Coordinates of all heavy atoms in Angstrom, one line a residue:
Y1 N 0.8 -1.2 0.0 CA 0.0 0.0 0.0 C 0.9 1.2 0.0 O 2.0 1.2 0.5 CB -0.9 0.1 1.2 CG -1.9 -1.1 1.3 CD1 -1.6 -2.2 2.1 CD2 -3.1 -1.1 0.6 CE1 -2.5 -3.3 2.2 CE2 -4.0 -2.1 0.7 CZ -3.7 -3.2 1.5 OH -4.5 -4.3 1.5
A2 N 0.3 2.3 -0.6 CA 1.0 3.6 -0.6 C -0.1 4.7 -0.5 O -1.0 4.6 -1.4 CB 1.9 3.8 -1.8
V3 N 0.0 5.7 0.3 CA -0.9 6.8 0.4 C -0.1 8.1 0.4 O 1.0 8.2 1.2 CB -1.8 6.8 1.6 CG1 -2.8 5.6 1.5 CG2 -1.0 6.6 2.9
A4 N -0.5 9.0 -0.4 CA 0.2 10.3 -0.5 C -0.6 11.3 0.3 O -1.8 11.5 0.0 CB 0.4 10.7 -1.9
L5 N 0.0 12.1 1.2 CA -0.7 13.0 2.1 C -0.1 14.4 1.8 O 1.1 14.6 1.6 CB -0.5 12.7 3.5 CG -1.0 11.4 4.0 CD1 -0.7 11.2 5.5 CD2 -2.5 11.2 3.8
K6 N -1.0 15.4 1.8 CA -0.6 16.8 1.7 C -1.4 17.6 2.8 O -2.5 17.3 3.0 CB -1.0 17.3 0.3 CG -0.7 18.8 0.1 CD -1.0 19.2 -1.3 CE -0.6 20.7 -1.5 NZ 0.8 20.9 -1.3
Y7 N -0.6 18.5 3.4 CA -1.2 19.4 4.4 C -0.8 20.8 4.2 O 0.3 21.1 4.1 CB -0.8 18.9 5.8 CG -1.4 19.7 6.9 CD1 -2.7 19.8 7.1 CD2 -0.5 20.5 7.7 CE1 -3.3 20.6 8.1 CE2 -1.1 21.3 8.7 CZ -2.4 21.3 8.9 OH -3.0 22.1 9.9
D8 N -1.9 21.6 4.2 CA -1.6 23.1 4.1 C -2.4 23.7 5.2 O -3.7 23.7 5.2 CB -2.1 23.6 2.7 CG -1.9 25.1 2.6 OD1 -1.4 25.7 3.5 OD2 -2.4 25.7 1.6
G9 N -1.7 24.2 6.2 CA -2.4 24.7 7.4 C -3.3 25.9 7.1 O -4.2 26.2 7.8
A10 N -3.1 26.6 6.0 CA -3.9 27.8 5.7 C -5.2 27.4 5.1 O -6.2 28.1 5.3 CB -3.1 28.7 4.7
G11 N -5.3 26.2 4.4 CA -6.6 25.9 3.7 C -7.1 24.6 4.0 O -8.2 24.2 3.5
M12 N -6.5 23.8 4.9 CA -7.0 22.5 5.2 C -7.1 22.4 6.8 O -6.3 22.8 7.5 CB -6.0 21.4 4.8 CG -5.8 21.4 3.3 SD -4.6 20.0 2.8 CE -4.5 20.3 1.0
R13 N -8.1 21.7 7.2 CA -8.3 21.4 8.6 C -7.5 20.2 9.0 O -7.1 20.1 10.2 CB -9.8 21.1 8.9 CG -10.7 22.2 8.7 CD -12.2 21.8 8.9 NE -12.5 20.7 8.1 CZ -13.7 20.0 8.2 NH1 -14.6 20.4 9.1 NH2 -14.0 19.1 7.4
A14 N -7.2 19.3 8.1 CA -6.4 18.1 8.5 C -5.7 17.7 7.2 O -6.1 18.1 6.0 CB -7.3 17.0 9.0
P15 N -4.7 16.8 7.3 CA -4.0 16.3 6.1 C -5.0 15.6 5.2 O -5.9 15.0 5.6 CB -3.0 15.3 6.6 CG -2.7 15.8 8.0 CD -4.0 16.4 8.5
R16 N -4.7 15.7 3.9 CA -5.6 15.2 2.9 C -4.9 14.2 2.0 O -3.7 14.3 1.7 CB -6.1 16.3 2.0 CG -7.2 15.9 0.9 CD -7.7 17.1 0.2 NE -8.4 18.0 1.1 CZ -8.8 19.2 0.8 NH1 -8.4 19.7 -0.4 NH2 -9.5 19.9 1.6
V17 N -5.7 13.1 1.6 CA -5.1 12.1 0.8 C -5.2 12.5 -0.6 O -6.3 12.8 -1.1 CB -5.9 10.7 1.0 CG1 -5.4 9.7 0.0 CG2 -5.7 10.2 2.4
V18 N -4.1 12.7 -1.3 CA -4.1 13.2 -2.7 C -3.9 12.0 -3.7 O -4.2 12.1 -4.9 CB -3.1 14.2 -3.0 CG1 -3.4 15.5 -2.2 CG2 -1.7 13.7 -2.6
A19 N -3.4 10.8 -3.2 CA -3.2 9.7 -4.0 C -3.1 8.5 -3.1 O -2.6 8.5 -2.0 CB -2.0 9.8 -4.9
K20 N -3.6 7.3 -3.6 CA -3.4 6.1 -2.9 C -3.5 4.9 -3.9 O -4.1 5.0 -4.9 CB -4.5 6.0 -1.8 CG -5.9 5.6 -2.3 CD -6.8 5.4 -1.1 CE -8.2 4.9 -1.5 NZ -9.0 4.6 -0.4
G21 N -2.9 3.8 -3.5 CA -2.9 2.7 -4.4 C -2.4 1.4 -3.7 O -1.9 1.5 -2.6
K22 N -2.7 0.3 -4.4 CA -2.3 -1.0 -3.8 C -1.5 -1.7 -4.9 O -1.8 -1.7 -6.1 CB -3.6 -1.7 -3.5 CG -3.3 -3.2 -2.9 CD -4.7 -3.8 -2.6 CE -4.5 -5.2 -2.0 NZ -5.8 -5.9 -1.7
N23 N -0.5 -2.5 -4.4 CA 0.4 -3.3 -5.3 C 1.0 -2.5 -6.4 O 1.9 -1.6 -6.2 CB -0.4 -4.5 -5.8 CG -0.9 -5.4 -4.7 OD1 -0.3 -5.4 -3.7 ND2 -2.0 -6.0 -4.9
L24 N 0.6 -2.7 -7.7 CA 1.2 -2.0 -8.8 C 1.0 -0.5 -8.8 O 2.0 0.2 -9.0 CB 0.6 -2.6 -10.2 CG 1.1 -1.9 -11.5 CD1 2.6 -2.2 -11.5 CD2 0.4 -2.5 -12.7
I25 N -0.1 -0.1 -8.4 CA -0.3 1.4 -8.4 C 0.5 2.0 -7.2 O 1.0 3.1 -7.3 CB -1.8 1.7 -8.1 CG1 -2.6 1.3 -9.4 CG2 -2.0 3.2 -7.9 CD1 -4.1 1.5 -9.3
A26 N 0.6 1.2 -6.1 CA 1.5 1.7 -5.0 C 2.9 1.8 -5.5 O 3.6 2.8 -5.1 CB 1.4 0.7 -3.8
A27 N 3.4 0.9 -6.3 CA 4.7 1.0 -6.8 C 4.9 2.2 -7.7 O 5.9 2.9 -7.6 CB 5.1 -0.3 -7.5
Q28 N 3.9 2.5 -8.5 CA 3.9 3.7 -9.4 C 4.0 4.9 -8.5 O 4.7 5.9 -8.9 CB 2.7 3.6 -10.3 CG 2.7 2.5 -11.3 CD 1.4 2.5 -12.1 OE1 0.5 3.2 -11.9 NE2 1.4 1.6 -13.1
I29 N 3.2 5.0 -7.4 CA 3.2 6.2 -6.5 C 4.6 6.3 -6.0 O 5.1 7.4 -5.9 CB 2.2 6.0 -5.5 CG1 0.8 6.1 -6.1 CG2 2.3 7.1 -4.4 CD1 -0.4 5.9 -5.1
R30 N 5.2 5.2 -5.5 CA 6.6 5.3 -4.9 C 7.6 5.8 -5.9 O 8.4 6.7 -5.6 CB 7.0 4.0 -4.3 CG 6.2 3.5 -3.1 CD 6.9 2.4 -2.4 NE 7.1 1.2 -3.2 CZ 6.2 0.3 -3.4 NH1 5.0 0.3 -2.8 NH2 6.4 -0.7 -4.2
N31 N 7.5 5.2 -7.1 CA 8.4 5.6 -8.2 C 8.3 7.2 -8.6 O 9.2 7.9 -8.7 CB 8.2 4.8 -9.4 CG 8.6 3.3 -9.2 OD1 9.4 3.0 -8.4 ND2 8.0 2.4 -10.0
K32 N 7.0 7.6 -8.6 CA 6.8 9.0 -8.9 C 7.3 9.9 -7.8 O 7.8 10.9 -8.0 CB 5.2 9.2 -9.1 CG 4.9 10.5 -9.6 CD 5.1 10.6 -11.1 CE 4.4 11.8 -11.8 NZ 4.6 11.9 -13.2
A33 N 7.1 9.4 -6.6 CA 7.6 10.2 -5.4 C 9.2 10.3 -5.5 O 9.7 11.4 -5.2 CB 7.2 9.6 -4.1
M34 N 9.8 9.2 -5.8 CA 11.3 9.2 -5.8 C 11.8 10.1 -6.9 O 12.8 10.8 -6.8 CB 11.8 7.8 -6.0 CG 11.7 7.0 -4.7 SD 12.5 5.3 -4.9 CE 11.4 4.5 -6.0
E35 N 11.1 10.1 -8.1 CA 11.5 11.1 -9.2 C 11.4 12.5 -8.8 O 12.3 13.3 -9.2 CB 10.5 10.8 -10.4 CG 10.7 9.5 -11.1 CD 9.7 9.3 -12.2 OE1 9.0 10.3 -12.5 OE2 9.7 8.2 -12.8
H36 N 10.5 12.9 -7.9 CA 10.3 14.2 -7.5 C 10.8 14.5 -6.0 O 10.4 15.5 -5.5 CB 8.8 14.7 -7.7 CG 8.4 14.7 -9.1 ND1 8.0 13.5 -9.7 CD2 8.3 15.7 -10.0 CE1 7.6 13.8 -11.0 NE2 7.8 15.1 -11.2
E37 N 11.5 13.5 -5.5 CA 12.2 13.7 -4.2 C 11.1 14.0 -3.1 O 11.3 14.8 -2.2 CB 13.2 14.8 -4.2 CG 14.3 14.5 -5.1 CD 15.4 15.6 -5.1 OE1 15.2 16.6 -4.5 OE2 16.5 15.4 -5.7
V38 N 9.9 13.3 -3.2 CA 8.9 13.4 -2.1 C 9.3 12.3 -1.1 O 9.5 11.1 -1.4 CB 7.5 13.1 -2.7 CG1 6.5 13.1 -1.6 CG2 7.2 14.1 -3.8
P39 N 9.4 12.7 0.2 CA 9.7 11.7 1.3 C 8.8 10.5 1.3 O 7.6 10.7 1.2 CB 9.7 12.6 2.5 CG 9.8 14.0 2.1 CD 9.1 14.1 0.7
I40 N 9.4 9.4 1.5 CA 8.6 8.2 1.7 C 8.9 7.6 3.1 O 10.0 7.4 3.5 CB 9.1 7.1 0.6 CG1 8.8 7.6 -0.8 CG2 8.3 5.8 0.8 CD1 9.2 6.7 -1.9
F41 N 7.8 7.3 3.8 CA 7.9 6.9 5.2 C 7.2 5.6 5.3 O 6.0 5.5 4.9 CB 7.3 7.9 6.1 CG 7.4 7.6 7.6 CD1 8.6 7.9 8.3 CD2 6.4 6.9 8.3 CE1 8.8 7.6 9.6 CE2 6.6 6.7 9.6 CZ 7.7 7.0 10.3

């Protein structure tokens, strides 16, 4: 599994899920994140 979270204190009450996926889509999300240096936890 992979879920991408974004939080903007000015316009959001809580962190928001902007992407999520399982298995193959999860791998695509991780690869996309690594391409753009988005932290993976």
